[in-house]
Each structure stands twice: as structure tokens, then as C-alpha cells.
Amino acid sequence: RLTITEIQDTWNTRRPFAGQIHHSQALEVINSLATSLRAHLPLLQKLNKANQMMSLKTLDLSALFVIEEESQSLKELWTLISLTWKKVDDLLEQPVRLVQPTHVLVSLEQINEAILAFPRKFASFEIVTAKRHELDLIKKTVRTLSELRTDAIQEHHWESILQRIRLPRKYRALTVGDLHRHGITSFEKLASDIITQAPGALGLRH
């Protein structure tokens, strides 16, 4: 059986307050910690009742009730994010050669508005701020992709781009998420050079 201090330490160490983790992982952690808390809290409450009957000192369980309330709040938030972010995951899985950047940008803005519509109590959570920041980064990726989606940029150009930015993917298997995770926006100068050169038929074959 865990002590109150051990339960507190576990919660403080593992609670998913960071927005960088995926919602599925966050909910898994919350459910695991909540299960542990539900298993221990009734036992500690029974121990307190026994101690009261024997006029012994009781345990202060207030910290555990705070954790219980906090875990419920985090679960509510991460559940909202999971419902919203599924659309983001779907967009990131779209093949670069088929994606329509304008439509994706519209969808991303709608997702941002959905996050802004979360209950006001979540507005100051770092998780919400981090997710909105990630949306902004994805938008930058899509805008860079949009610039590269011209008739002048052919498949062989893309293969050369992927080699030069050291992304081990073939163009026909490339997804928006591949570009986003690899940080394509940090190669903006390269993209600009390619856009400038391609219409002049300089190409990137060599």
C-alpha cells in the first residue's frame, strides 16, 4: 500500500500538464493514476475511521482529495483535446501529393476555434496554450507546403528536397505530418531557392 506522500510524489511526477504529449498518452497516464488513487483512498479512509474509534491521530487526506479533483479536471480537458485533435491527426496523415493546403488551413483554424471554445476554466492551462502553439506550427508547415505545391515543382524536385533536408521518405509516401515533425519550416530558404529555380528549368536533378 502506498503512503500519502508516495501518492503525491507519483502524481506530481507523472501528471500530464505538458501540452507536448499526445492526448492518448495523457489519458492513459491519468486513468492509471486515478485507478491507483481509487484503490488507496477508501483504504486510507477506513484506516482513519478505525483510528477515530481508538482515539488515535488520523491521517490528513486533503491532499488526496485535491489530487482527485485535479485528475478529474485534467481528464475532462484531455478528453476534449482528444476529440478535437483527432482531426489534426487525420490532417497530418494526408499524403503531400494529394493534400489541398487551403482546405487544411481552413480546417486548422476551425480546430483552433474549437479549442478557444473550451470551458473558461481551462483557458489558463499550459496544455491549451501548447496545443494552440502546435496548431500555429502546423499552419506554418502547411503554408510552406503550399508554396512548394506549384506546377513547376515536380516529383524529382521533391526527391532532391527530401535528400537535402535528410528526411528518409519517398515523395509518394510523404505525409504532411512527416514534414511537420521534421521541421520543414526551418528550411524556408531552401524552399524559396527551389521555388525560384524551378520555373527556370534549372531543376534539382543533379
Side-chain angles (χ1 to χ4, degrees):
R1 187 178 67 194
L2 296 176
T3 65
I4 294 174
T5 301
E6 288 171 334
I7 294 172
Q8 283 182 286
D9 289 344
T10 301
W11 175 250
N12 291 335
T13 302
R14 297 187 60 204
R15 61 184 174 180
F17 265 176
Q20 289 76 17
I21 65 176
H22 194 265
H23 55 81
S24 59
Q25 181 185 353
L27 286 171
E28 183 178 337
V29 170
I30 290 171
N31 288 333
S32 174
L33 294 173
T35 298
S36 177
L37 183 62
R38 283 196 301 270
H40 285 85
L41 190 53
L43 294 176
L44 293 171
Q45 288 174 316
K46 286 181 180 179
L47 178 60
N48 266 357
K49 285 184 179 180
N51 286 345
Q52 282 179 330
M53 291 177 64
M54 294 184 289
S55 299
L56 297 175
K57 184 178 180 181
T58 58
L59 300 169
D60 182 3
L61 302 181
S62 59
L64 299 188
F65 293 124
V66 170
I67 292 174
E68 185 177 42
E69 183 178 348
E70 200 173 75
S71 68
Q72 290 171 351
S73 182
L74 277 179
K75 184 171 183 177
E76 181 185 354
L77 174 56
W78 277 112
T79 299
L80 286 171
I81 290 173
S82 71
L83 296 173
T84 306
W85 212 259
K86 184 182 183 304
K87 298 174 184 176
V88 178
D89 290 337
D90 291 342
L91 291 172
L92 291 176
E93 288 304 310
Q94 291 190 25
V96 165
R97 61 191 176 88
L98 300 177
V99 73
Q100 297 182 354
T102 303
H103 292 173
V104 172
L105 287 171
V106 170
S107 295
L108 290 172
E109 184 52 39
Q110 290 172 344
I111 292 166
N112 183 56
E113 290 173 1
I115 292 176
L116 287 173
F118 284 179
R120 187 172 296 180
K121 63 182 178 180
F122 296 131
S124 62
F125 277 53
E126 189 274 338
I127 299 167
V128 173
T129 303
K131 287 303 179 187
R132 293 191 63 214
H133 177 64
E134 188 174 351
L135 278 178
D136 287 339
L137 294 179
I138 296 172
K139 287 179 186 177
K140 288 183 67 176
T141 295
V142 176
R143 290 190 189 103
T144 301
L145 172 58
S146 180
E147 292 174 359
L148 290 167
R149 285 288 303 275
T150 68
D151 292 339
I153 305 295
Q154 301 297 315
E155 184 170 341
H156 64 272
H157 295 119
W158 271 105
E159 294 295 352
S160 184
I161 293 170
L162 297 176
Q163 288 180 12
R164 289 172 64 176
I165 67 175
R166 298 182 180 179
L167 201 171
R169 275 282 201 179
K170 289 294 184 182
Y171 172 64
R172 289 192 166 274
L174 187 68
T175 67
V176 177
D178 291 329
L179 292 179
H180 175 62
R181 287 185 289 271
H182 198 70
I184 187 66
T185 55
S186 63
F187 299 97
E188 286 181 334
K189 186 179 184 307
L190 170 63
S192 178
D193 290 345
I194 292 166
I195 294 165
T196 301
Q197 293 174 13
L202 297 178
L204 295 174
R205 294 178 190 269
H206 305 294

